[in-house]
Amino acid sequence: MTFHQMLERVRYDGAHPTLERAEPAVRTVLAALGRQLTGDERVDLAACLPVEAALVFAAEIPATVPLTGDGFVRDLAARTDGTPATARWNTCTVLAVVARLAGAALVTRILEQLPDGYALLFGRTELAPAA
């Protein structure tokens, strides 16, 4: 998938009126994800993304304290001066495309590294352990 195709997919799935409106969503979500991932998962995900997307993702220095899924969305909303609802919508739309590019095995590894709350953002259910 090219970066243009990625933008088109996010535009369509996220109901953005134009590619110019979809691109900031892609860039901000990828940058935010770049602040959360480390290690082999970070390298492997960058290799799955179109070059332009990989550069945005990899340009970020990972945070010393990872955010929960909810914290990720709230941080994104604050950085974009948007609402949590809009940030969640954009996050889910972009990460669904990222998940398709990465494949199920890599997404599972990514979710194992991240704190709770990211599975739904990647379009997966998050089951609680049996009590």
Side-chain angles (χ1 to χ4, degrees):
M1 177 180 284
T2 67
F3 187 62
H4 181 80
Q5 290 168 325
M6 183 181 199
L7 292 177
E8 182 57 41
R9 180 85 278 171
V10 170
R11 186 206 61 77
Y12 182 80
D13 292 349
H16 295 283
T18 64
L19 291 178
E20 291 75 21
R21 296 283 297 273
E23 186 169 357
V26 170
R27 289 183 181 278
T28 57
V29 171
L30 288 174
L33 186 60
R35 291 188 291 276
Q36 299 303 306
L37 284 180
T38 61
D40 290 341
E41 289 75 20
R42 180 181 176 91
V43 173
D44 293 347
L45 180 57
C48 294
L49 297 173
V51 173
E52 297 91 333
L55 291 172
V56 171
F57 169 74
E60 296 297 319
I61 297 169
T64 55
V65 178
L67 299 171
T68 64
D70 184 57
F72 181 89
V73 170
R74 290 186 183 284
D75 180 65
L76 196 59
R79 287 175 185 266
T80 60
D81 292 325
T83 65
T86 301
R88 181 172 298 280
W89 178 264
N90 287 334
T91 298
C92 291
T93 302
V94 173
L95 293 184
V97 174
V98 168
R100 281 186 234 138
L101 290 169
L106 179 54
V107 171
T108 297
R109 289 178 31 223
I110 289 169
L111 292 174
E112 288 171 352
Q113 181 188 124
L114 295 170
D116 291 340
Y118 282 87
L120 288 174
L121 299 176
F122 277 93
R124 289 191 175 181
T125 57
E126 189 162 44
L127 303 175

